[in-house]
Amino acid sequence: MRKEKLTMLDELIYPEIIANFRLVKSIDVQGAKLFRSSSFSFCQPAQTTQICQHLGPCTYVDLRTQKELQRDGTPSTIINLGWKYINLPVHDQESHEEPDLKRYEAVMPQYLNVASEVIQRLNNGESCVIACSLGKDRTGMVTALIQQYFGESAKRISKNFELSMTYLIAQRHLLPSRWQSLEALTPISGIDCLQAIRDIRPTQLCGSGLQAKGLTQQ
């Protein structure tokens, strides 16, 4: 039973179209749902249209920097179809010279800013899609903070975080060529994620207006 619950935590959506696009099944606020994904900029317009029509109205929260937007473009199709689009850049580029935990801790104020914004929107009934380039580090950390805020267990937060590697490796053919080799997909650790958010309190997600719960160990 426990293994089934962990497997059911995330649900891949359109796995043949976009990599690492998942419904976070533990978050459902007044009918508003939370999704996480690699960038929609990697999809063709017809594919993006298919996704948008399937999901209905959503807010797309893009964590990419200006440099990344210039390189890969904005997902303009979603805007044309009526989705809300906000860019909250998180400057958290991968560096093999610095441990992931230190990177995550250094960028925590940016993660908190995005998580607070998404929680506000969920509370207002807006379904949200969080995306960076791969939907791995930045998207994973923001999602972890939101899950912690709503009382998700440490074990499931860790599992959700690490699932990105499983999905990205299996779907790397859907990514731009620079990320299609196994060497380009640097590993991530759920333990690092949990360590980075261990001291975060609900009050740091200021203005969310929701009753928060602490991180549990179940």
Side-chain angles (χ1 to χ4, degrees):
M1 179 63 69
R2 182 176 298 274
K3 182 178 181 181
E4 181 182 355
K5 287 183 178 179
L6 290 175
T7 303
M8 291 293 288
L9 178 63
D10 273 9
E11 177 182 320
L12 277 176
I13 301 176
Y14 284 113
E16 73 282 5
I17 291 178
I18 186 168
N20 203 24
F21 180 29
R22 301 133 67 183
L23 167 66
V24 183
K25 301 192 78 170
S26 58
I27 305 296
D28 190 337
V29 185
Q30 300 177 9
K33 299 185 182 301
L34 178 65
F35 304 87
R36 52 176 300 178
S37 182
S38 60
S39 175
F40 275 33
S41 295
F42 304 152
C43 292
Q44 296 298 317
Q47 295 174 321
T48 306
T49 299
Q50 185 179 7
I51 293 172
C52 291
Q53 290 176 342
H54 174 229
L55 295 187
C58 280
T59 297
Y60 187 99
V61 184
D62 196 336
L63 309 187
R64 293 176 299 158
T65 63
Q66 191 62 37
K67 181 178 179 180
E68 291 172 292
L69 292 174
Q70 291 174 349
R71 180 188 66 191
D72 296 322
T74 59
S76 57
T77 302
I78 67 172
I79 301 172
N80 296 335
L81 292 171
W83 274 25
K84 296 179 182 178
Y85 174 88
I86 57 174
N87 177 221
L88 297 175
V90 175
H91 297 265
D92 180 23
Q93 299 302 314
E94 291 187 0
S95 171
H96 297 289
E97 298 178 357
E98 187 174 30
D100 284 343
L101 176 57
K102 288 187 177 181
R103 287 196 300 115
Y104 297 156
E105 291 176 336
V107 186
M108 187 56 65
Q110 297 179 63
Y111 297 146
L112 287 168
N113 177 57
V114 177
S116 180
E117 176 73 23
V118 173
I119 290 171
Q120 289 258 35
R121 290 177 179 275
L122 289 169
N123 191 39
N124 290 334
E126 294 181 34
S127 292
C128 294
V129 176
I130 308 171
C132 49
S133 284
L134 297 177
K136 181 167 69 81
D137 291 274
R138 290 171 289 181
T139 297
M141 287 301 300
V142 171
T143 301
L145 285 168
I146 297 170
Q147 289 180 293
Q148 174 174 286
Y149 186 88
F150 287 110
E152 185 60 278
S153 71
K155 182 176 290 186
R156 294 188 182 183
I157 290 173
S158 178
K159 177 70 174 179
N160 181 293
F161 189 76
E162 291 186 348
L163 274 175
S164 285
M165 285 305 299
T166 301
Y167 294 142
L168 286 169
I169 288 173
Q171 300 176 292
R172 62 186 185 277
H173 61 284
L174 298 174
L175 300 171
S177 58
R178 60 183 175 274
W179 285 310
Q180 289 185 5
S181 70
L182 290 175
E183 293 76 14
L185 296 173
T186 55
I188 51 176
S189 166
I191 294 176
D192 286 341
C193 171
L194 294 177
Q195 284 294 307
I197 67 175
R198 66 190 181 280
D199 296 325
I200 301 300
R201 297 292 175 260
T203 52
Q204 291 175 262
L205 293 161
C206 57
S208 59
L210 292 174
Q211 182 177 0
K213 302 177 181 178
L215 184 66
T216 65
Q217 299 296 325
Q218 297 177 359

